[in-house]
Structures are given as C-alpha cells and as structure tokens.
Amino acid sequence: MTSTDTDGSPEPAPPRRHLSPLRWAFPIVVVTLLASLLGVMYLDYVVDPEKNLHDFPIALVNQDVGDDIGGKHVNFGDQVSEGLQKAVPSDKIDLRVLGINEAQLQMQSARVYGTIIIPSDFSKRLGILGVGSVVPGDITKPVLTLQTNPRTGAFATAVVQKFGEQALTQVNTQVGQQLTEQVKAQLTPPPGAPPTELSAATRLVLAQPLNIVVDQFRPLPGGSGEGLTAFFYSLLLLLIGMVGAMIIHQLIDSALGFLPTEWGPWYVHYPRASISRVKTLLIKWSAVVVMALAVSGALEGIAAILGMPLDKPLLLFIYGAFAIIAVGFTCTSMLAAVGTSGLIINLIIFVILGLPSSGGTIPIEATPKYFGWLARFEPMHQVFLGIRSILYFNGNGQAGLTRGVWMAVLGLAIGVVGGLFITRFYDRKGLERKPVNLDSGSGKHAKPADA
C-alpha cells in the first residue's frame, strides 16, 4: 500500500535495504575467529600436561644424621639426596632442598606441591637391615616419606605421586644394589672356606630395602570437591562479575532510551534521557556494587547449604564481593569506551584467556609456558589464588590472598580511572549518545536523527 502526500500525490515508499554479503559474513568471521582462539587456548591447555611440565616445585628434606658402619661413618641420606638431584630433570621439576620447618611453611602456603622426607635414622636403619640380613633378629625397612599437598588440587597431587613413584622406585633399586654388594662383601669367606650364599628371601629384601610411604599433608575436609571448589567458586565470581555487568549495561541503557527493549513480540524504545556518559557510568557502577554484595552473600549461603567448609565466611564474603566489583567495573568501563565490541573484548579477557590460565584445574607449571605469562595479570588466576587461600589455607597471605587482593585493587583502579577518563573525554568533546544513520547513497554520516 502506497501513502499519499497532502497534495494528493503518492509518497514514494522508503527504499528497501538489503544486507550486503560483507555485512552478512562479518559475524560469521568474528565467531569463527573467537572459536579458533578458544580452541587453541583450551585444547593446548589440557592436551599434554606431562609434556608441558616445567618448574614444578617439590621440596626435598634430608634429616639423616648418618651412622657408623664397619668402623666408618656413612650418610646414606646424603647419597640419596644427591642422587635425586642428579636424576630429577631440572627443566621439569624444581627440586628444592629445604629444612623440615621451611618445607612445611612452603606446603602451608602452596609454594610447593609435595615433599620428600628422609628421616634422621635412615642410615642407621639401613645399616641394621644389612646386618640383619645375615644375623637373626627383628628388623624394619628404612622409611622414605612422600608428602602430597592435596589443597593445591587433585592434578598437582597426581603429578607428585607419579613423580614419587618413578624417582623413589629408582632410588630404592639403586640403594638395594649398593646394600646387596655391601652385604656380599661382609660375607666374603676367608681363603679356602666355602662361599656363603644369600637366601632368596634375603636377596628380595635387599633388592628393595626401602619402605616408601605416601602421606597427605593437611588433608582436605569433606565437601571440598577434591580441591575443585575453589576453582568453581572463583569461576562463579568471575562470570557473575562479567555477565552481570553486561546485563546491567544493557538494561540501564534500555531504561535510559539508548537501546530498544524487546519482550517477545513487543518492542519498546523509551525516549532518550538527557544524561552524560559519566553519570550513566556511575549509575551502572552503583548497580554493580549492589549486585556484588547481594550475589556474594547468596553464593556463600548456597555453599553453606551444600556443605562446603567455610572457615573464613566474612573474609570470603568481602573478597567475593570485591572481586565481582573489580570485574564488573572493568567490564562496564570497556563497554563505555568501545561500545558493543566491548562484549567481545570482555569475553576474550575474562573467559577465553582467563580460564585456561587460572591454574584451577591443571597447575600453571603443567601448562605451556605462555600460560604462565598470562597468569601474571589475567583476572581469573588472581581471583582463584585469593579464593583458594581463603577456603583451603586459612586465609594465608603467602598462599595467594595478598596477591589476589592487590591485583583486584589494581584491576578496579584500571577500570575506574579508564572509565572516568574516556567518558569525561567523550562528554567534553560533545560526543553524545545519539543515533547516527548512514546515508545509503554517499556512505557519509547523515545528520543525527534527533538533532
């Protein structure tokens, strides 16, 4: 149907716009590139952790005081310690020779994933075992203890156990060979006497003389998800901060008339409010703060109902709300600065790059080295360190809470300063949020519709 003008002549219908092939293909290209980046990050993160292992920290504690055997002072603990240091691949394992107190402090602050302990009576018991193999009496095998640190995560614990199985089994075999040769030398008969043979049972005992014990250092309480609750709680905080900020951005812009609102078949576009960009951003930030406090409390309540151990509930609430605020402020500032494309930037920063570099499921030391570079500044890793410290390490600052707090402060400062700077700049330049149409004929910007 054609409308008519006041003089009776027909009014020409507006030209029909067609979606050009370039504009039709653009979103497909964008999604394909994002999916490719997502695939590289996530698959490279998980495909081969053992191959990517580097600088994985394990403590070695040698408490052996040695013993006098055959008129000579020996220290088998030193020999085992030196053998381990030579045998362990330094490019994969960071074997730290520490005292027992320092090793426990580093275990308590998640700076090492496990500890090998050589006890003080190691040489003495090994000597007794050698003598006891030919002299009747009760003997016990010397003990080597491998302590895991389950609060650093299930995968880190698995790496420590596998390392211990390989390295300590090799040590057991080497010590067995040395002890067998020593016992045979003691049994060498005088000239002309018949040789003394070791029994089969004795040879078996001497071949594997060590009792390797795997022990947990401060086991996780029930309801900790084998060390995964910290990761998923951190993930919730990050996603809520990002997605919540985007929802707040959309709804407030709709309420102020900058964006249309669709409810099913209904379409509403409120009159555009006369408000500066700075004030709009401050309104969004206020909503983010209220949302962060409400959501942090809700998450903690849900965790308590589900049986998660919460030793520091107030600290968890405060840090959770602070993390959401830092992420939410940064996301809204990004949207205020670059508009709709800020959605893609936020997705890349907080999800595509953030999750695989968090260290929440696979330790950073078991991922490609560029993930370690990302973990220096990626928000997800900082939030994970803070939450893990609160949930598993009694809020120990060295276990990650100090870094988590200061990096959240830095992120919040970047979001606030950047958001205020760019919005004030736009306001001073008179770059108001007005609709701008493209002239289909010339391709130039036409006069704003409400000017």
Side-chain angles (χ1 to χ4, degrees):
M1 181 176 179
T2 304
S3 60
T4 58
D5 205 342
T6 54
D7 60 357
S9 60
E11 182 180 337
R16 296 182 64 183
R17 296 186 61 195
H18 297 281
L19 189 63
S20 68
L22 182 60
R23 292 186 181 180
W24 179 84
F26 180 71
I28 298 175
V29 172
V30 170
V31 172
T32 302
L33 291 175
L34 284 176
S36 300
L37 179 60
L38 192 66
V40 169
M41 296 298 297
Y42 280 58
L43 294 179
D44 198 18
Y45 164 68
V46 77
V47 163
D48 197 349
E50 188 172 344
K51 177 184 175 182
N52 294 323
L53 198 66
H54 62 277
D55 303 320
F56 192 87
I58 295 178
L60 173 60
V61 176
N62 180 19
Q63 297 179 297
D64 189 15
V65 296
D67 193 30
D68 293 326
I69 300 176
K72 184 174 66 174
H73 186 78
V74 295
N75 192 308
F76 290 113
D78 288 345
Q79 296 177 25
V80 170
S81 178
E82 292 172 4
L84 279 172
Q85 293 177 66
K86 292 178 181 177
V88 168
S90 58
D91 59 330
K92 292 184 178 293
I93 303 294
D94 177 16
L95 194 63
R96 304 176 181 179
V97 180
L98 305 172
I100 186 64
N101 292 332
E102 179 61 22
Q104 289 181 346
L105 286 174
Q106 294 201 16
M107 291 278 275
Q108 291 172 1
S109 57
R111 285 180 286 169
V112 295
Y113 294 120
T115 302
I116 299 171
I117 302 176
I118 304 172
S120 58
D121 60 351
F122 184 74
S123 291
K124 182 177 182 179
R125 288 192 177 276
L126 202 57
I128 292 173
L129 181 65
V131 173
S133 62
V134 293
V135 177
D138 295 330
I139 56 174
T140 57
K141 289 185 175 183
V143 174
L144 278 182
T145 302
L146 176 66
Q147 276 190 342
T148 62
N149 197 354
R151 294 170 186 255
T152 58
F155 191 90
T157 299
V159 172
V160 172
Q161 290 176 333
K162 187 171 184 179
F163 162 77
E165 180 182 352
Q166 295 174 348
L168 297 184
T169 298
Q170 183 178 353
V171 166
N172 200 1
T173 301
Q174 292 174 348
V175 171
Q177 291 174 351
Q178 183 178 353
L179 188 62
T180 301
E181 292 173 0
Q182 178 181 329
V183 171
K184 285 182 177 180
Q186 292 176 351
L187 294 177
T188 301
T196 304
E197 295 291 339
L198 293 173
S199 67
T202 300
R203 287 198 299 269
L204 285 175
V205 172
L206 294 178
Q208 301 289 324
L210 306 181
N211 181 19
I212 298 173
V213 176
V214 179
D215 186 28
Q216 288 188 345
F217 179 83
R218 297 185 66 214
L220 280 166
S224 298
E226 299 297 328
L228 287 175
T229 50
F231 168 71
F232 282 100
Y233 201 96
S234 306
L235 179 60
L236 285 172
L237 296 177
L238 188 93
L239 289 180
I240 289 165
M242 182 188 72
V243 176
M246 293 180 179
I247 293 173
I248 287 172
H249 170 80
Q250 293 288 113
L251 294 181
I252 289 180
D253 274 358
S254 297
L256 294 175
F258 297 117
L259 292 174
T261 303
E262 292 186 81
W263 302 99
W266 293 280
Y267 173 96
V268 180
H269 197 166
Y270 298 106
R272 187 176 62 85
S274 178
I275 185 172
S276 68
R277 290 177 181 266
V278 171
K279 289 183 179 178
T280 302
L281 185 60
L282 292 177
I283 291 173
K284 294 174 182 177
W285 282 350
S286 301
V288 167
V289 171
V290 176
M291 179 267 293
L293 294 173
V295 169
S296 184
L299 287 179
E300 190 165 323
I302 292 169
I305 292 172
L306 295 177
M308 268 181 59
L310 304 173
D311 296 333
K312 301 282 185 179
L314 180 59
L315 183 59
L316 181 64
F317 169 76
I318 292 173
Y319 182 74
F322 185 50
I324 293 174
I325 290 171
V327 173
F329 274 39
T330 305
C331 286
T332 48
S333 295
M334 183 64 68
L335 292 167
V338 300
T340 306
S341 57
L343 298 172
I344 299 175
I345 297 174
N346 287 335
L347 180 66
I348 292 174
I349 293 175
F350 292 101
V351 176
I352 296 180
L353 300 181
L355 263 67
S357 63
S358 67
T361 53
I362 298 177
I364 296 297
E365 295 85 358
T367 60
K369 291 187 177 181
Y370 66 88
F371 283 101
W373 176 78
L374 289 172
R376 295 179 184 177
F377 58 86
E378 270 294 325
M380 181 65 188
H381 181 64
Q382 324 310 324
V383 174
F384 168 70
L385 291 179
I387 293 298
R388 187 183 66 175
S389 173
I390 295 171
L391 290 181
Y392 303 155
F393 294 95
N394 204 33
N396 187 333
Q398 290 185 327
L401 183 59
T402 300
R403 178 180 176 85
V405 169
W406 283 113
M407 291 300 286
V409 169
L410 177 61
L412 179 61
I414 292 173
V416 170
V417 173
L420 291 178
F421 175 81
I422 196 67
T423 51
R424 283 180 63 86
F425 174 78
Y426 287 161
D427 284 339
R428 287 182 177 181
K429 292 293 185 179
L431 300 171
E432 299 181 41
R433 302 182 70 187
K434 295 181 179 181
V436 177
N437 298 320
L438 289 176
D439 188 296
S440 58
S442 63
K444 297 180 180 179
H445 287 81
K447 187 178 182 180
D450 59 349

